Amino acid sequence: MPIVATCHCGATRLEVDRLPESVTACTCTYCSKTGGLWAYYEPGEVRVLTEAEGRDYCPKGLNHHHFCSRCGCTTHGISPAWTEAHIGGNTIPEESRWGINARLLDDVDLGAIPVRQIDGRNLW
Ligand SMILES: [Zn+2]
């Protein structure tokens, strides 16, 4: 059964076919200010059902942070598929990755999904 992520007002609705094995909490300036908790997926795994009021905040031209301009929810991000191998280096992954804000997943027990901590503020 598909799992749906919905912003507070319903203007953004995303759909995936599986629960994430873990969700990621990051300390970087963006993640700590928005409170996003990330469930990562390959690009083809996420279906955008509607993004009627969606906006894209892309401060450095790499990480596209999507949010709903009506209700303000941080909805998802599309970014290069960063790995530990890219930390401190000058290479940018060619592949992209989607991160859905797991707090928007409807009818999902978030407490049952392990949280992976990443110290993004000090890693990049
Ligand atoms: Zn909304």
Side-chain angles (χ1 to χ4, degrees), residues 6-12 53 67-73 75:
T6 312
C7 69
H8 193 263
C9 75
T12 295
E53 301 290 332
F67 63 98
C68 175
S69 67
R70 185 187 295 162
C71 68
C73 284
T75 56

Side-chain angles (χ1 to χ4, degrees), residues 12-123:
T12 295
R13 291 171 54 84
L14 310 170
E15 188 178 70
V16 291
D17 288 326
R18 63 173 179 87
L19 282 174
E21 290 170 12
S22 66
V23 290
T24 299
C26 175
T27 62
C28 83
T29 53
Y30 180 80
C31 294
S32 58
K33 286 178 185 287
T34 62
L37 189 61
W38 305 108
Y40 291 116
Y41 293 93
E42 297 298 315
E45 291 186 285
V46 181
R47 294 180 294 278
V48 178
L49 303 178
T50 177
E51 196 178 6
E53 301 290 332
R55 297 289 184 273
D56 174 5
Y57 172 60
C58 188
K60 293 180 181 172
L62 289 175
N63 300 311
H64 292 264
H65 304 293
H66 290 247
F67 63 98
C68 175
S69 67
R70 185 187 295 162
C71 68
C73 284
T74 295
T75 56
H76 62 292
I78 303 168
S79 63
W82 304 109
T83 66
E84 280 73 8
H86 298 96
I87 294 170
N90 295 314
T91 60
I92 297 170
E94 288 180 24
E95 309 79 38
S96 64
R97 181 173 58 184
W98 284 55
I100 292 179
N101 185 358
R103 299 187 192 282
L104 274 50
L105 295 171
D106 294 329
D107 305 318
V108 168
D109 178 9
L110 259 192
I113 301 174
V115 177
R116 183 171 158 250
Q117 302 282 344
I118 287 187
D119 189 13
R121 189 165 299 210
N122 294 305
L123 288 175

